[in-house]
Amino acid sequence: DSGVTQTPKHLITATGQRVTLRCSPRSGDLSVYWYQQSLDQGLQFLIQYYNGEERAKGNILERFSAQQFPDLHSELNLSSLELGDSALYFCASSVLGTGLYGYTFGSGTRLTVV
Amino acid sequence: KNEVEQSPQNLTAQEGEFITINCSYSVGISALHWLQQHPGGGIVSLFMLSSGKKKHGRLIATINIQEKHSSLHITASHPRDSAVYICAVVDTGNQFYFGTGTSLTVIP
């Protein structure tokens, strides 16, 4: 157990639907990162939050949104789902908001859109 | 254009061999990370480098900032090292870029 908790582990949903992925960071970590890993595009950075505020934004679609709550857990909302959104979604956390310290990854949420 | 290039894409080694995986990048970075992803999908952060060299057990990671190049070495490789190794860089604007990964298979 890495200390980063992602739920659910697996999710199957239909095109056009909306889902919410949840991430609880490791105790003491203030920063949360979301990544998407698909078969054809590999790992891609989506978005980072630090202590409740958006810190950096990567290749996140407009149909996707995220937030970090006061208790530091984060949610990634994916709407108007398409077949191409099927992927592994990872969350990672770190103590600070920069890349200068290590990251701890969750075990991921496997999203299948049918 | 890929900001991070890894080589080789696939690597098969006999148990005990010394292994090197290379990573070249084109952006200015604040840090470079080596990640390990096992067949089950879980990702483990192996190293974070901003300069020099780090060692952890049989794993050694080096970075040359001037040449924008990093290497991950595995000494005395073992079948349990079989995994995908991913190089990731964080640029000075906190953007992440990932290599496509090196799939390593170590045969007993």
Side-chain angles (χ1 to χ4, degrees):
Chain A
D1 180 9
S2 68
V4 177
T5 304
Q6 284 190 252
T7 57
K9 290 198 185 310
H10 301 275
L11 196 49
I12 301 175
T13 190
T15 54
Q17 294 298 304
R18 172 190 165 95
V19 297
T20 297
L21 312 184
R22 182 186 169 108
C23 170
S24 294
R26 197 179 57 158
S27 178
D29 286 356
L30 298 178
S31 201
V32 169
Y33 308 78
W34 285 98
Y35 305 94
Q36 179 194 57
Q37 186 177 39
S38 59
L39 279 175
D40 56 344
Q41 300 225 26
L43 263 170
Q44 291 197 87
F45 167 62
L46 296 178
I47 197 162
Q48 178 204 356
Y49 281 85
Y50 174 72
N51 206 20
E53 294 192 3
E54 184 182 301
R55 174 63 68 96
K57 196 176 244 189
N59 298 321
I60 189 165
L61 300 172
E62 284 191 16
R63 299 183 286 110
F64 297 180
S65 65
Q67 56 183 327
Q68 187 179 28
F69 294 87
D71 67 351
L72 301 177
H73 92 271
S74 178
E75 292 182 356
L76 178 67
N77 300 296
L78 314 177
S79 61
S80 302
L81 284 167
E82 302 174 359
L83 295 177
D85 298 327
S86 296
L88 257 176
Y89 291 84
F90 286 101
C91 160
S93 71
S94 68
V95 171
L96 298 180
T98 69
L100 297 178
Y101 294 87
Y103 303 93
T104 304
F105 283 80
S107 56
T109 293
R110 185 173 294 280
L111 173 67
T112 303
V113 182
V114 297
Chain B
K1 176 182 177 298
N2 292 327
E3 289 81 0
V4 180
E5 299 279 357
Q6 273 186 248
S7 63
Q9 277 193 308
N10 297 286
L11 185 53
T12 301
Q14 290 291 132
E15 183 172 354
E17 284 186 9
F18 180 85
I19 288 162
T20 296
I21 300 170
N22 294 298
C23 174
S24 296
Y25 55 91
S26 59
V27 296
I29 68 169
S30 60
L32 181 144
H33 297 261
W34 281 102
L35 311 174
Q36 180 193 54
Q37 185 170 30
H38 277 281
I43 296 177
V44 174
S45 177
L46 298 174
F47 293 104
M48 187 284 298
L49 297 160
S50 53
S51 65
K53 176 179 175 178
K54 286 191 177 179
K55 184 176 190 292
H56 182 68
R58 296 179 295 104
L59 301 179
I60 303 166
T62 63
I63 188 169
N64 185 317
I65 297 292
Q66 287 72 32
E67 295 185 3
K68 295 189 172 180
H69 181 269
S70 175
S71 292
L72 176 68
H73 305 286
I74 305 175
T75 62
S77 58
H78 190 275
R80 65 174 173 266
D81 297 325
S82 298
V84 175
Y85 293 83
I86 301 168
C87 173
V89 302
V90 185
D91 74 9
T92 50
N94 245 20
Q95 288 292 320
F96 287 74
Y97 302 95
F98 294 91
T100 52
T102 295
S103 179
L104 170 65
T105 303
V106 181
I107 301 169

